[in-house]
Amino acid sequence: MYSSITAANQAVIERIRTARPHWVGVCPAQQAVPQLANGKKLLHAGPPLDWGAMTGPMRGACIGAAIFEGWAGSEAQALSLFDTGAVEFIPCHHVNAVGPMGGITSANMPVVKVKNLTHGNMAYCNLNEGIGKVMRFGAYDDEVQRRLHWMREVLAPVLNDILVQMEDGIDLGALMAQAITMGDEFHQRNIAASSLLMRMLATGIAQLPRDKNQLAEVLRFLSITDQFFLNLAMAYCKAAMDAGAAVKAGSIVTAMTRNGRDFGIRVSGLGERWFTAPVNTPQGLYFTGYSQQDANPDIGDSAITETLGIGGAAMVAAPGVTRFVGAGGVAAALATSEEMAEIYLEHNPLLQIPTWNFQGACLGLDVRRVVETGITPLINTGIAHRNPGVGQVGAGTVRAPLPCFEQALIALAETMNISG
């Protein structure tokens, strides 16, 4: 169909560039993902794996989900459920979804609905719980359960009530274009986007015909949850990258994700095949009382941001993040983005970065360039404790492993009948 891999890559990038993902609603996960409606099933981050291979944070999140859904009344009952194989696991990426850290999403957890108005495809992600002791980082105690129930019963309905009043919902790209000029890179720093979103929603929320104490709770939660927009940014990126993947040709990486064991990528010309290698462990700064020895290996679907070309690739947009993740200062932020530009084919005109002389964020991660240069994507990430039940213990950066890119390039060459 395409005369060359260059032509195919241009087609992929054009679909990514012209995607217009809008946040159009919030609903129970089982409405967005019908597979969750019957039986005991959970979505998880990363390429496929089973219970026996899961690391501590994902196991903790599974326990939390089992208690939340009423499948188990205690940790012991939940462990028995999983140990006997009573629960089926599905990668989020297999059902048009993404999930941060463990990515564990159950039938009755609310998810954001994001629609790409240009190409019609949908993407989903669970709602952000805040930071610290939260389920996505593996915590599952009573505090976590209370928050999850409140999000289902109060937060999600309020947000959906506002969104359905808006024609076509909220244009996430337009909001992100503004937020990146205010210092966000949309993985570790989302405070500008979250604040802009709060400004867009607050008046409508206050006027809803609902219990005013509940509305006040929602407004307070949004006002203090600096990373609330992260999950929307992830769904935005998923919708855009899935649009590009529909070309089914070329060498553009369309997904990067981690499950605590394996780092997996997909490539536009290789369909839904996963190419995996063992994950690395993030390096960074830790909350008081924790250290590098407590860190879980790399985990989460949030690397979909770097797949698009933001997050770690756009570190120059948010130089303050480098201190937070222990990666230096302004010079380090610039150097990181300049290095990442070597493995992406183009720049994104929608997301212009003032501190990069208004150059657009990176766009079009090319598996060929990664292998040729040996430069692997740098990912900004939260750090989960390696044991279940603890939660987030720090933030840092991590590199994608080179072997999965090498495997994908070999497979791409084989499909094109190119011999080495």
Side-chain angles (χ1 to χ4, degrees), residues 132-345:
K133 185 180 283 190
V134 290
M135 198 190 77
R136 71 181 184 276
F137 282 96
Y140 53 86
D141 65 10
D142 289 345
E143 174 189 344
V144 174
Q145 293 295 322
R146 285 193 297 271
R147 186 188 305 112
L148 290 174
H149 282 276
W150 175 82
M151 292 174 71
R152 181 184 70 182
E153 296 158 11
V154 178
L155 178 62
V158 167
L159 292 175
N160 192 63
D161 282 354
I162 291 297
L163 291 164
V164 297
Q165 295 177 16
M166 301 178 178
E167 185 176 359
D168 295 329
I170 293 176
D171 184 342
L172 296 177
L175 190 153
M176 292 166 69
Q178 185 175 2
I180 203 168
T181 70
M182 299 166 67
D184 280 359
E185 40 76 60
F186 307 112
H187 195 160
Q188 272 302 311
R189 191 181 194 277
N190 283 279
I191 189 170
S194 298
S195 299
L196 291 170
L197 188 67
M198 172 72 170
R199 188 174 70 172
M200 295 178 71
L201 296 173
T203 300
I205 290 174
Q207 294 176 341
L208 285 175
R210 284 180 169 270
D211 181 271
K212 296 306 178 184
N213 289 328
Q214 291 186 346
L215 297 181
E217 290 173 358
V218 170
L219 290 171
R220 181 178 182 278
F221 178 82
L222 294 176
S223 72
I224 64 173
T225 307
D226 293 346
Q227 280 287 74
F228 185 82
F229 192 82
L230 169 62
N231 300 48
L232 288 163
M234 290 173 58
Y236 171 96
C237 294
K238 174 63 173 171
M241 298 313 301
D242 279 358
V247 171
K248 300 185 184 301
S251 59
I252 302 299
V253 178
T254 55
M256 294 193 294
T257 184
R258 320 86 99 202
N259 60 26
R261 296 284 184 180
D262 296 318
F263 190 107
I265 69 170
R266 284 174 166 175
V267 176
S268 56
L270 297 167
E272 297 180 351
R273 294 174 60 184
W274 287 109
F275 299 90
T276 64
V279 297
N280 296 316
T281 299
Q283 305 288 317
L285 296 181
Y286 289 84
F287 302 158
T288 301
Y290 300 103
S291 67
Q292 186 66 42
Q293 287 68 40
D294 298 310
N296 196 76
D298 195 20
I299 190 170
D301 287 336
S302 55
I304 194 68
T305 56
E306 282 82 8
T307 312
L308 180 74
I310 50 180
M315 194 92 84
V316 66
V321 166
T322 59
R323 290 296 177 92
F324 180 62
V325 298
V330 175
L334 175 60
T336 295
S337 292
E338 292 284 0
E339 181 190 36
M340 292 298 100
E342 296 187 42
I343 55 177
Y344 292 78
L345 293 177

